[in-house]
Amino acid sequence: MTDSKRRKGLAAAAAVLGGVLVLSACSDGDKGGAADSSTSPQSQAQVDEAAAQKTSKAQISISPKNGASNASINNDAKVTVTEGTLTEVTMTTQEGASVKGELSADKLSWKPTEQLKRATVYKISATAKDADGLEAHENSSFTTVSQANSFIGNFTPEDGSTVGVGMPVSLKFNKAITDKAAVQGGVKVTSSTGQEVVGHWFNSQRLDFRPEDYWTEGSTVTLKLDLDGVEGAEGVYGVQQKTVTFKIGRNQVSTVDVATKTMTVKQDGKTVKTIPISAGSPENPTYNGQMVISEKFKETRMNGATVGFTDDDGKGEYDIKDVPHAMRLSTSGTFIHGNYWGPDSIFGSANTSHGCVGLNDVKGAGDPKQQAAWLYDHSIVGDVVIVKNSKDKTIAPDNGLNGWNMSWSAWKAGSAV
């Protein structure tokens, strides 16, 4: 074979092989193989990088977490953001009712400005932007604590009131408390005079606070409830977050001497009036002890059947529908009140009641015999009435607001903290 023919044969073979190679390359391309570099798509790393450039750097956090239950009605709900600022936050109930909220000045946080309702599903939707203007979104739904899983403490005295020197701070919880230390730790009572104030548990649902001696007249007492989220019993949480202040008025202490059948009223240590009285009869003596006026009634009904004084037919031994100027001294029914039905001669000379302290009272303003009206007008809730020289026992400290009948050491022994 000549050289020229050999070169032509090799060229033809190369063309055939080239065709095979091209066909093979196209076939592999159809199966997902590498394509020509001029037409191939971006690499996965390039795709990820491009996607990252379009994702906001802002990170939104919503509390409580999505699906949470037993959430606080005061403090739990909050939205915060990092690497960005919040542009919109909406909070609604499951039914669509909106909840008012406040965005912080730096737009880094948001929280509701109203107390939430118990046993309610809430939804929060938040939007934020990063420095490049890219938006981030976050949503959450949670349920607040139910009534069955929460407790409250009803307290006395009322916020802004003025009370007597004997008025304790008394809380009555609507559920039994098993972790008394945790609950008492969430209640703080202080006096503007710096008097030491200690709490005492009478039972699983009542917690009272008082100083060693009566409050100082003219002082201010502050009750701070920080019980939100406090677990008072297994699975039962507090919901209250409140500060209450009340003022202590002048120092009035009235002493009833059952033996002499008189009452001496002192204000700031000085005697201002001596009043003849009629206390409990020998069959129904009046309790001894320090008692605190807890309620005042211009007029009230007193039925013996409600406190165990009944006749053979089960009816009350007495039923007076308009007892005047009545002030409660005990839960069990001891009052100091006006008496218009008894003869004038009993006051100061005979003890005839069923245990109450009676003062002469007549219908008609301005009558000099209307001693009960005078005492009523000059008394406030929290004033102290001391009964002595009765043949009955000393009243129980938890019968009314009468913890003063307990020694300071015994009182402090009832504290859980």
Side-chain angles (χ1 to χ4, degrees):
M1 182 180 295
T2 64
D3 291 339
S4 60
K5 290 181 177 181
R6 182 180 291 112
R7 286 194 294 270
K8 290 180 180 179
L10 291 172
V16 172
L17 290 172
V20 171
L21 289 171
V22 170
L23 289 173
S24 176
C26 289
S27 176
D28 286 346
D30 289 343
K31 293 180 180 180
D36 188 285
S37 62
S38 64
T39 59
S40 65
Q42 293 175 304
S43 68
Q44 187 62 47
Q46 290 174 317
V47 172
D48 292 343
E49 182 179 359
Q53 291 175 351
K54 296 181 180 179
T55 301
S56 176
K57 295 179 181 178
Q59 298 293 318
I60 301 172
S61 177
I62 300 179
S63 176
K65 293 182 179 179
N66 190 45
S69 59
N70 288 329
S72 163
I73 64 174
N74 294 294
N75 299 319
D76 279 1
K78 188 176 183 181
V79 181
T80 58
V81 66
T82 58
E83 298 192 59
T85 55
L86 293 169
T87 58
E88 183 180 11
V89 178
T90 59
M91 183 175 183
T92 62
T93 65
Q94 192 172 33
E95 292 75 24
S98 61
V99 177
K100 294 180 181 179
E102 182 179 43
L103 186 66
S104 63
D106 56 13
K107 298 183 179 180
L108 297 179
S109 64
W110 178 97
K111 62 182 179 179
T113 54
E114 58 187 73
Q115 188 180 66
L116 306 184
K117 297 178 180 179
R118 285 189 283 183
T120 302
V121 177
Y122 288 94
K123 297 181 179 181
I124 296 179
S125 178
T127 302
K129 285 185 179 181
D130 64 11
D132 296 324
L134 297 175
E135 288 190 341
H137 304 274
E138 195 68 49
N139 298 281
S140 181
S141 177
F142 62 91
T143 306
T144 52
V145 65
S146 67
Q147 289 191 0
N149 292 99
S150 61
F151 70 88
I152 62 171
N154 296 304
F155 58 85
T156 190
E158 297 180 359
D159 187 27
S161 60
T162 297
V163 297
V165 296
M167 188 70 186
V169 173
S170 183
L171 292 105
K172 293 182 179 179
F173 298 102
N174 65 336
K175 289 185 175 65
I177 302 301
T178 56
D179 194 342
K180 294 180 178 178
V183 171
Q184 189 175 336
V187 182
K188 188 175 182 181
V189 181
T190 57
S191 170
S192 61
T193 63
Q195 286 178 278
E196 180 187 10
V197 184
V198 176
H200 179 95
W201 290 88
F202 284 114
N203 51 50
S204 62
Q205 291 182 249
R206 179 176 170 184
L207 172 63
D208 284 15
F209 288 82
R210 71 168 177 90
E212 182 174 5
D213 300 311
Y214 300 145
W215 302 103
T216 302
E217 58 270 20
S219 61
T220 298
V221 180
T222 300
L223 162 65
K224 184 176 182 180
L225 297 173
D226 192 12
L227 294 171
D228 187 65
V230 174
E231 191 170 18
E234 185 175 0
V236 180
Y237 301 89
V239 295
Q240 288 170 295
Q241 186 170 296
K242 188 178 183 68
T243 299
V244 173
T245 60
F246 58 94
K247 191 173 181 64
I248 306 300
R250 76 285 176 273
N251 184 330
Q252 178 167 303
V253 178
S254 302
T255 301
V256 173
D257 189 331
V258 174
T260 63
K261 304 169 188 64
T262 58
M263 178 173 69
T264 302
V265 182
K266 289 187 176 183
Q267 286 189 359
D268 300 323
K270 297 180 180 180
T271 299
V272 294
K273 198 172 186 66
T274 300
I275 302 172
I277 61 94
S278 177
S281 67
E283 297 78 20
N284 302 296
T286 304
Y287 286 124
N288 286 294
Q290 304 173 74
M291 305 181 213
V292 174
I293 297 174
S294 59
E295 291 181 290
K296 293 179 65 181
F297 303 98
K298 193 85 173 184
E299 192 172 279
T300 190
R301 178 183 179 182
M302 292 188 178
N303 186 340
T306 63
V307 289
F309 292 112
T310 57
D311 56 24
D312 294 338
D313 296 328
K315 295 182 180 180
E317 293 182 9
Y318 56 88
D319 188 1
I320 306 169
K321 297 178 174 60
D322 57 351
V323 177
H325 305 118
M327 296 182 286
R328 182 183 290 277
L329 300 178
S330 77
T331 305
S332 61
T334 307
F335 281 80
I336 184 165
H337 62 77
N339 178 338
Y340 66 82
W341 54 89
D344 293 350
S345 59
I346 65 170
F347 301 104
S349 62
N351 293 318
T352 61
S353 80
H354 284 77
C356 291
V357 177
L359 283 69
N360 199 358
D361 213 344
V362 294
K363 294 189 175 181
D367 192 297
K369 295 180 181 178
Q370 207 171 21
Q371 304 278 17
W374 181 93
L375 182 66
Y376 184 92
D377 291 341
H378 288 79
S379 298
I380 59 176
V381 169
D383 281 348
V384 178
V385 177
I386 300 173
V387 177
K388 66 179 184 178
N389 296 325
S390 174
K391 293 182 179 180
D392 203 354
K393 62 185 177 182
T394 298
I395 192 168
D398 61 345
N399 186 359
L401 303 176
N402 300 323
W404 303 103
N405 296 288
M406 183 179 292
S407 69
W408 185 233
S409 59
W411 183 269
K412 294 175 74 173
S415 174
V417 296

